[in-house]
């Protein structure tokens, strides 16, 4: 006595997907209400923030490299001064 249709059941994955979908909708609506329409995070905004962060890291790395080179030069100069005989 089969009707030809599979039994309609709600599985655990269906429930978790539904809950996740509702949670995303709530968070998105809450973000719009709290932050404001003009300050919503977008892919473009995220990409720009990543570019700025990369530039800042590169600047810090260059500054650190410059300081290390200065210290190495000062240390080499100090060694050279120690090796020269005193007249």
């Amino acid at each position: 006595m089969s009707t030809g249709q599979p039994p309609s059941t709600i599985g655990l994955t269906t429930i978790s997907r539904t809950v996740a979908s509702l949670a995303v909708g709530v968070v998105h609506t809450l973000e719009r209400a709290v932050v404001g329409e003009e300050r919503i995070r977008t892919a473009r905004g995220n990409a720009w923030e990543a570019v700025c962060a990369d530039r800042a890291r590169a600047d810090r790395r260059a500054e650190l490299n410059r300081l290390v080179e200065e210290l190495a030069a000062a240390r080499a100069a100090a060694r050279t001064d120690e090796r020269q005989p005193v007249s």
Side-chain angles (χ1 to χ4, degrees):
M1 301 236 203
S2 177
T3 60
Q5 293 180 341
S8 176
T9 59
I10 296 177
L12 187 59
T13 57
T14 305
I15 292 172
S16 62
R17 286 180 186 160
T18 303
V19 170
S21 176
L22 290 172
V24 167
V26 167
V27 168
H28 183 68
T29 303
L30 185 63
E31 181 181 18
R32 283 185 185 279
V34 172
V35 176
E37 194 71 34
E38 66 280 351
R39 297 194 59 198
I40 297 289
R41 294 181 63 92
T42 62
R44 177 180 285 172
N46 290 343
W48 180 246
E49 286 179 19
V51 166
C52 291
D54 287 344
R55 288 178 181 173
R57 274 192 298 274
D59 289 344
R60 288 191 304 267
R61 192 177 311 117
E63 178 67 15
L64 183 60
N65 287 339
R66 187 186 62 76
L67 289 173
V68 168
E69 288 172 1
E70 286 179 7
L71 288 173
R75 190 171 185 179
R79 285 183 183 168
T80 303
D81 291 343
E82 288 176 359
R83 291 182 187 161
Q84 292 179 354
V86 179
S87 335

